[in-house]
Amino acid sequence: MTTLRRCFVCAADMLNPSERHLTFPDGGRRAFALACGSCGVLLDRHADASRCRAHLTEALAGAVFVPDGQAPYGLDLYTLRIAATRLGRGLRPLDAGGRGALLHPHAEHAARAELYDLDRAETRPVSLGLLCRPSECDGVLASLSAQAGWTDDVAILLDGETAPPRAVAVPGFALGAVRVAARPLSDDFAAQRNALQRLARNPWMLQLDADESLAFATGGLLPALAGMAEAGAVRSIGLARRNRVDGVLADVFPDVQYRLNRRDVAYAGRVHERPLLAGGWPESFITLHGAIEHHLSRSHVEARSRRYESMDPGRGRLEEAQALLSPYRD
């Protein structure tokens, strides 16, 4: 058995036995004993996480990623795209075969690709959307100036009596850039997120809740990620979320939230809602360049799953409460 608990690329606790192989440019073909169920990286059974991470970091530093058939890990192109984001880098396929591999993961060919820095890349405008209660609105508005610079469009949707968008002045944003609207949640998070999506003025929107925050550096790369996504026929991007319960990082990590979506993407699910993608999960990928910070109290965690279960019986994830109350373990 492996001594690894978490994936060395994405930190997910999802390493499972694998029957996958990779074919390398020299014609060699290798089997791998383990695969991450989140990002898809392949591993030898006794791979060392720190050595793998150092080897991959060096391999991702150049202009072209060349696979190493002797390394104790392997990546197809879809997984390489995820891994590159951890270092703030993007990729472009080298040929038509590579473009096809991104659309049909997980390919059997080891990844080769052109690499570039996301902070110098072509971008797409991204709106910021926030869901909150009326009592939380002032706090949300006060936090917005920290995001000025990477977005020029903010929509806030309150859970309350239906009201059309009204402009609110916020330092750092042009007049009319920040709008507040309202509609009743009515125990349906997907419907509320879909209403928020429709308020976006830009082709893409990142959604956050009132108890979530995002570092400016993380937000700053979202327009470039949206540009890379469109080049690869991707419509949804997931971000890791750090759940902090009374300030303590919970063991539920990376807790990927698919919150950066094209404006026309709709969510489904009254609770634990997820984007509906006609082409399934290959139309999405995960970025590792930063994370959503989720601030929770113990009392909220203890009540949260029970409330969700009452909203949508069978989907409340009652078991998640204990994991959220458990401190993070490597």
Side-chain angles (χ1 to χ4, degrees):
M1 287 293 293
T2 179
T3 58
L4 292 177
R5 178 171 187 256
R6 294 184 179 272
C7 171
F8 82 94
V9 172
C10 70
D13 182 11
M14 297 178 67
L15 294 178
N16 302 308
S18 171
E19 296 181 357
R20 287 178 56 196
H21 296 72
L22 284 179
T23 301
F24 290 82
D26 63 2
R29 189 168 185 265
R30 282 183 56 196
F32 291 87
L34 300 168
C36 176
S38 181
C39 72
V41 71
L42 300 173
L43 286 162
D44 290 341
R45 185 170 300 280
H46 300 293
D48 179 83
S50 61
R51 291 180 181 177
C52 288
R53 190 174 297 112
H55 185 282
L56 180 57
T57 297
E58 183 177 355
L60 287 169
V64 176
F65 180 87
V66 179
D68 180 355
Q70 302 305 310
Y73 66 89
L75 314 92
D76 68 354
L77 202 59
Y78 182 90
T79 299
L80 177 64
R81 180 170 57 187
I82 294 172
T85 64
R86 189 171 62 86
L87 300 179
R89 309 210 76 192
L91 65 75
R92 299 184 186 94
L94 295 176
D95 51 32
R99 289 189 290 274
L102 282 179
L103 297 174
H104 301 93
H106 288 287
E108 286 197 9
H109 291 281
R112 296 173 62 249
E114 177 187 348
L115 298 170
Y116 60 89
D117 293 330
L118 285 169
D119 60 5
R120 301 177 185 176
E122 183 179 353
T123 63
R124 296 290 184 275
V126 176
S127 297
L128 173 60
L130 297 118
L131 295 179
C132 66
R133 301 181 182 91
S135 61
E136 299 166 324
C137 188
D138 287 346
V140 167
L141 288 170
S143 71
L144 285 182
S145 294
Q147 305 302 332
W150 69 261
T151 184
D152 61 358
D153 177 52
V154 179
I156 299 171
L157 185 59
L158 307 180
D159 173 13
E161 185 177 346
T162 300
R166 59 181 176 86
V168 179
V170 173
F173 288 91
L175 186 63
V178 180
R179 293 154 296 130
V180 178
R183 74 182 292 278
L185 174 65
S186 300
D187 287 347
D188 191 333
F189 283 104
Q192 198 78 339
R193 291 206 184 279
N194 292 338
L196 184 56
Q197 285 284 101
R198 291 191 291 271
L199 294 175
R201 290 167 170 163
N202 289 325
W204 288 75
M205 173 176 265
L206 173 78
Q207 291 202 15
L208 296 175
D209 297 339
D211 58 3
E212 296 172 337
S213 60
L214 196 74
F216 178 83
T218 301
L221 289 187
L222 298 182
L225 285 162
M228 182 171 68
E230 290 203 352
V234 164
R235 303 173 64 229
S236 179
I237 299 175
L239 284 82
R241 183 169 69 173
R242 297 188 187 100
N243 297 287
R244 298 187 185 276
V245 181
D246 292 336
V248 178
L249 181 62
D251 203 40
V252 180
F253 184 82
D255 191 21
V256 175
Q257 302 292 308
Y258 288 88
R259 298 287 190 77
L260 179 59
N261 295 284
R262 280 198 57 85
R263 182 175 54 201
D264 59 352
V265 169
Y267 284 85
R270 297 181 68 88
V271 299
H272 299 300
E273 62 285 356
R274 292 175 70 86
L276 281 172
L277 302 173
W281 65 266
E283 290 186 359
S284 68
F285 68 80
I286 302 166
T287 179
L288 305 177
H289 77 289
I292 296 169
E293 296 287 343
H294 191 199
H295 312 279
L296 301 158
S297 66
R298 184 183 184 93
S299 60
H300 178 76
V301 168
E302 290 173 340
R304 177 175 176 260
S305 293
R306 292 195 299 272
R307 182 194 172 211
Y308 287 0
E309 183 67 14
S310 69
M311 292 166 64
D312 194 356
R315 298 194 70 250
R317 299 183 190 171
L318 295 173
E319 74 286 352
E320 191 173 76
Q322 187 56 50
L324 283 168
L325 295 174
S326 301
Y328 178 83
R329 294 184 296 138
D330 286 329

